[in-house]
Each structure stands twice: as structure tokens, then as C-alpha cells.
Amino acid sequence: MSSPPRSTSSSSEDKDLERQDDSQLSTTDNDEKPSPGPGADNSKPTTTTTPSTTPSSSSSSSTPPEPPSTLNPALERALLLKLDLLLLPLLMLISTSCLLDRTNIGNVAVAGMPESIGASPAQFSTAVSIFYATYVTFESPWALLLKRLTPRVTLTSLCVVWSLTTIFSGFVTSIGGLYAARLVLGACEGGLFPGLNLYLTMVYKREEQAKRISYLFVCTTVAGAFGGLLAYLILKMDGVGGQEGWRWVYFVEGGLAYFLNEKEKGMMRVRARQRKQYMGSEEFSWEEVKLAARDRKMWILAAIQFCQDVLLYGFSTFLPSIIRSLGHDGVEAQYLTIPVYVTGGLFFMGLAVLSDRLCVKGPLVAFANVFGILGYILIICRTSKGVKFFGTFLCAMAVYSSPGLTVTWLTVNVAPHYRRAAAIGIQQTFANTAGIVAGQIYREKPYLLGNAFSLGCLVVAEFLIAGLSLYIWSCNRKKEKIALGEMEDTRKVKTGDGELDFKYHL
């Protein structure tokens, strides 16, 4: 049996470390591995391979034995815990800082920035929307380049540029300068969120992804809550250093960025072999990009994501203004957003854990959207201010749960890697045009147009989710019949997620 391929850039010390890590993590007894849950990686071996122990005639010419192809369940759980502790805090810090930089324009909007730079409400709404012009343009290219340039180079470079851009946004004195800063910010951040999601699929198995991807989306609520609290405190710095309070929001929050330092993880070799079907070839192929562009699942999920992102970008950016329209002043609006964000984040975490256990996505997205529909109805109808404020909590449960689960629904159902990278890039490019829409529908108080449009998007999303769930169920059923010889295989795509033993997650 030939040894698994390794990067040509690895040193001899790295190879020794890989062999040591494999031997430490691989089970050496004959315990039978528990069968995987529904929807788990079907390419994962279920028996332990015993390495050869035949001695060689010369120690100098001996070849290290092939490590076992399975992991002891207890050791694998320990490995996952270590990976979570090493990777997730770093990725969450990037995501939180990124979202702080993106959404702080909503905080400075109620802190006097438009008046300070002489921007009309229409011009300021354009500044919100223009961000997504470059954001959606660069998403697909960055996703395809992530693996080739390595996450270390790609993510670190993007972090540095958007951090500096955010800091210098504090020196903006005209609407033209704000437009320029938002365009640069969009070009950089277009590679960060898709890149972070794609990177997690390179590390975790399909049935492990929803909870980890949820951490990135929970950062949206953390950024909202922390951003509101931070903005509330920073705005008290009005006049410090001769600068207005809104400028300090950019100075302080832009400095939260850090430099990503990617570490080698030799302990992942065994898991990489187990996920070979899901990851596929290391070589880039335009054919995989074409297959991704023709994937019906991807386009339906892109439409669902667009509907969900209208809520995400509109609600996240304008929540302080929505609360202010209920009669609260600018400072109160900042800290009243905090419990709303916390509620949305906790609800999403619960759904994500349940999603991984059940290997189900669509029904949970539809369930979360029900709360959003009720929330927007309460906000739109003639109800008391207290009831409307309660409605924002219900909206948050859909706003921060559904987009994350929709992204995960795509990542677990597309293989191999470059087909998945292209699918994520295309889906996010299409879906994030919702940011342009969100900036235009939330223009004037009491934001009836924005809230009504968001409600309509939720209703449309529910129908799309039902249709996609039925389509995925039919695809799984068709594969089962073909495998049993009950029908002829006339499918055009039979590789990657088209293989008969690849079961789609509903």
C-alpha cells in the first residue's frame, strides 16, 4: 500500500512529526468502531488495519509502516476538543472583528456621522450598500484561491488590509472618502467569511460542521452585542483628543484585528484519509467549477440565502435605528440591542448542536423562520412599543440562525473540495447582493418598507426550503434504488457528492 501524498514543501522533521502523530492517535487494538450516524461520512472505514511488523534486512532501508486508517473514538473526541480550542477562538476573533468593522456604520449612523460629513440619508444608505459591490465581486475568486495560496497567506493578508482601512475610516471628512473606504473594506471582507467557512470544511467532517460554523455566525450576535456596548462606551469619548465620538468607534474597533498564525496539524492525517471522498483531489479543476455552477441544490440554496441575508444585513445594520424609532435616544438604542443579539446567538447555538446530532438542516431553518415571521408581524402592526421591542427578539432568532444553517446545508452536500469552494463562492456572491437591497429598503423611519420586505423574504424562503427538502429527499431515494439495481443510472454527475454512497443531508 502506498503512503498518502504529502506536500512537497514539508521538511523531514514535519514528516517525522506526522508519523508520530498518526501512531499516537490511531487505535492499535481490535475494538470495533461504532457505526456512523445518519448522514455521516460514508467513505470512512469501519475496521482497523494492522500495520505490518515484518522486519527489514537493514534499518537504514526500512520503511515506516502505514498507520492504521481509523481512530479510537475516545482519542478522536480528545483530538476534536484540541482542534476546537486551537482553531475556533482564532477564527471567531477574526469573524467578530470583521463584523465589528462592517456593522459599526450602523452605530455611527445614530452617533452623528452623517451630519458631521455632510451626508444626506440617501447618500448614507448608498454608503451602506456600496460595500457589497466589491464584497460580492471578490467572494468567488478568494474562495478558489484559498487552498492554493494557503489559508495562512490569504486570511492574514486580508485581515491586515481591512483592519487598516477601518482605522483610517475614522479620518473620513466627506461622503466620497466614506465610499472609498467601504469599497476597499468590501473587497477584503469578501474573502474572509467564505474563506473561514471553507477552511472549516477542510478540517471537520460533515457531521461536525454545523456546530463549528455556528460559532462564526454567533460572532454576528457577539459583534452586534459587543459592538453596541463598545459603541456606547466609546461615544462617551466625544471630544477626547479633539475628535467627535463617532470617529473613536472606528479608531478603537479597527485596532482589534490580529495576525493569523496557522500551525501544522499532523494529527489530522488519519481523518484526512477518512474524508477522502468528501475532499477529493488536491489538483484544481475547472470541470468541478462548472459542475458547481450547474448544481440545482446550490442555486436553490443561493436563493434561500439571499432571502435570509436581506434580514441579516438589514436587521444587523439598522437594529439601533429600528430601536431608536421606537422612541429611545441614541445611547439607549445602543445598549438595548445587546439582549436582542444574545437571544439570537443562544437560540442558534442550540439549533446547530441539534443539527449535527440529527444531520438535518432544512427543517430547522424553516422552524427558526417561523419566529422571524411572527416578530416582523409584531413590529409592522399597530402594537405598543413594548410589544414591538419583543418582536425584535423573535426576529433575532431567525436572523442569526437561518443564514448559518443554510451555509452549512450547502457545505455538507457538495463534494469534492474545489466543487464545494466554487459553490460557496457562487452562493455567497449571489446571496450577498442582499446587502445592497438592505441598504435601500431601510431608509426612513419607522422603516415599514424594510420590515415588510424582510417579512416577505421569510415567507418566500419557507417555500424554497420545502421545495429543496423534497428535491434532496428524491435524490437520496434515487441513489438507493440505483444501488439496489431497481433502476438504471442515467445521472450525468456520478462523482463527488454524486457517488451512490454519498447521502445528502436534509
Side-chain angles (χ1 to χ4, degrees), residues 227-299:
L229 177 61
L230 187 59
Y232 168 74
L233 297 174
I234 295 173
L235 290 176
K236 295 298 184 181
M237 298 172 63
D238 193 51
V240 175
Q243 301 291 341
E244 296 154 291
W246 68 264
R247 296 186 187 276
W248 284 105
V249 173
Y250 283 113
F251 294 154
V252 176
E253 292 185 2
L256 293 177
Y258 75 103
F259 300 100
L260 178 65
N261 183 15
E262 188 68 25
K263 296 183 179 180
E264 294 294 327
K265 298 173 181 66
M267 297 166 69
M268 295 297 294
R269 304 303 182 201
V270 174
R271 285 167 57 87
R273 286 196 296 275
Q274 293 173 347
R275 302 188 318 136
K276 187 174 182 181
Q277 179 193 47
Y278 181 62
M279 293 304 297
S281 172
E282 295 289 324
E283 298 296 326
F284 174 77
S285 170
W286 281 110
E287 182 61 27
E288 295 295 348
V289 177
K290 294 177 183 177
L291 289 175
R294 295 197 295 262
D295 192 336
R296 295 177 185 174
K297 302 189 305 296
M298 187 275 294
W299 285 110

Side-chain angles (χ1 to χ4, degrees), residues 273-482:
R273 286 196 296 275
Q274 293 173 347
R275 302 188 318 136
K276 187 174 182 181
Q277 179 193 47
Y278 181 62
M279 293 304 297
S281 172
E282 295 289 324
E283 298 296 326
F284 174 77
S285 170
W286 281 110
E287 182 61 27
E288 295 295 348
V289 177
K290 294 177 183 177
L291 289 175
R294 295 197 295 262
D295 192 336
R296 295 177 185 174
K297 302 189 305 296
M298 187 275 294
W299 285 110
I300 299 175
L301 281 166
I304 296 172
Q305 190 76 28
F306 174 87
C307 293
Q308 306 290 174
D309 281 358
V310 168
L311 277 69
L312 180 64
Y313 295 132
F315 191 82
S316 299
T317 303
F318 293 98
L319 180 58
S321 297
I322 293 172
I323 294 178
R324 190 177 184 181
S325 71
L326 300 180
H328 301 281
D329 63 33
V331 175
E332 287 180 338
Q334 300 291 354
Y335 66 72
L336 285 176
T337 63
I338 298 172
V340 179
Y341 288 121
V342 171
T343 299
L346 293 177
F347 184 75
F348 181 27
M349 285 298 301
L351 284 187
V353 172
L354 184 62
S355 172
D356 274 343
R357 289 182 180 178
L358 301 179
C359 289
V360 167
K361 307 292 182 292
L364 296 181
V365 177
F367 173 70
N369 282 347
V370 171
F371 293 95
I373 291 173
L374 293 175
Y376 278 108
I377 290 175
L378 292 180
I379 294 175
I380 293 171
C381 293
R382 293 184 177 180
T383 55
S384 67
K385 292 180 180 179
V387 172
K388 290 181 184 293
F389 185 55
F390 173 71
T392 64
F393 285 82
L394 296 179
C395 290
M397 296 166 73
V399 167
Y400 297 111
S401 299
S402 300
L405 288 175
T406 303
V407 170
T408 310
W409 203 4
L410 174 71
T411 62
V412 301
N413 283 330
V414 179
H417 173 82
Y418 280 110
R419 191 184 306 177
R420 182 166 55 255
I424 291 175
I426 296 171
Q427 185 220 30
Q428 291 298 304
T429 296
F430 179 84
N432 281 311
T433 57
I436 300 174
V437 176
Q440 300 306 309
I441 59 178
Y442 282 94
R443 300 181 75 122
E444 297 179 359
K445 299 177 183 179
Y447 304 113
L448 178 61
L449 173 62
N451 292 327
F453 194 94
S454 297
L455 175 60
C457 285
L458 278 174
V459 174
V460 172
E462 292 291 75
F463 283 102
L464 291 172
I465 291 166
L468 180 59
S469 297
L470 182 61
Y471 174 72
I472 288 178
W473 176 85
S474 66
C475 288
N476 282 334
R477 182 61 180 151
K478 186 175 184 179
K479 285 184 177 183
E480 291 173 2
K481 289 184 177 182
I482 294 173

Side-chain angles (χ1 to χ4, degrees), residues 88-106:
L88 295 179
L90 300 177
L91 299 184
M92 289 177 70
L93 182 57
I94 292 179
S95 185
T96 302
S97 299
C98 173
L99 288 162
L100 277 172
D101 291 343
R102 185 191 311 176
T103 60
N104 58 20
I105 194 169

Side-chain angles (χ1 to χ4, degrees), residues 18-270:
E18 292 171 12
R19 291 194 291 267
Q20 292 171 12
D21 289 332
D22 282 343
S23 63
Q24 291 169 2
L25 284 171
S26 304
T27 180
T28 56
D29 53 35
N30 294 321
D31 292 343
E32 189 170 334
K33 183 175 177 61
S35 59
D41 283 346
N42 295 302
S43 59
K44 180 163 48 180
T46 57
T47 59
T48 302
T49 304
T50 305
S52 172
T53 57
T54 305
S56 59
S57 58
S58 172
S59 60
S60 60
S61 61
S62 63
T63 302
E66 177 75 12
S69 57
T70 62
L71 295 175
N72 180 287
L75 293 178
E76 187 169 20
R77 285 193 295 271
L79 171 61
L80 282 174
L81 178 60
K82 180 175 288 187
L83 287 172
D84 288 345
L85 293 175
L86 286 173
L87 285 177
L88 295 179
L90 300 177
L91 299 184
M92 289 177 70
L93 182 57
I94 292 179
S95 185
T96 302
S97 299
C98 173
L99 288 162
L100 277 172
D101 291 343
R102 185 191 311 176
T103 60
N104 58 20
I105 194 169
N107 293 320
V108 298
V110 298
M113 183 184 188
E115 295 80 6
S116 179
I117 64 174
S120 67
Q123 288 176 321
F124 201 76
S125 293
T126 301
V128 174
S129 299
I130 202 172
F131 168 91
Y132 297 97
T134 48
Y135 187 96
V136 300
T137 301
F138 286 92
E139 281 184 299
S140 291
W142 284 130
L144 292 173
L145 288 171
L146 179 70
K147 194 170 186 178
R148 178 167 294 186
L149 298 180
T150 73
R152 178 176 60 250
V153 173
T154 306
L155 297 179
T156 300
S157 301
L158 293 174
C159 283
V160 171
V161 176
W162 62 249
S163 177
L164 291 175
T165 302
T166 300
I167 293 173
F168 284 108
S169 295
F171 297 101
V172 166
T173 58
S174 66
I175 188 62
L178 182 59
Y179 286 163
R182 296 285 290 175
L183 286 170
V184 174
L185 215 56
C188 294
E189 292 186 24
L192 283 171
F193 187 73
L196 294 176
N197 280 280
L198 184 60
Y199 179 65
L200 289 176
T201 71
M202 297 163 65
V203 178
Y204 294 99
K205 298 177 183 177
R206 295 169 69 206
E207 64 272 21
E208 298 166 352
Q209 290 178 18
K211 184 169 70 173
R212 276 78 187 185
I213 290 178
S214 77
Y215 294 147
L216 298 184
F217 274 88
V218 166
C219 290
T220 305
T221 65
V222 172
F226 181 68
L229 177 61
L230 187 59
Y232 168 74
L233 297 174
I234 295 173
L235 290 176
K236 295 298 184 181
M237 298 172 63
D238 193 51
V240 175
Q243 301 291 341
E244 296 154 291
W246 68 264
R247 296 186 187 276
W248 284 105
V249 173
Y250 283 113
F251 294 154
V252 176
E253 292 185 2
L256 293 177
Y258 75 103
F259 300 100
L260 178 65
N261 183 15
E262 188 68 25
K263 296 183 179 180
E264 294 294 327
K265 298 173 181 66
M267 297 166 69
M268 295 297 294
R269 304 303 182 201
V270 174

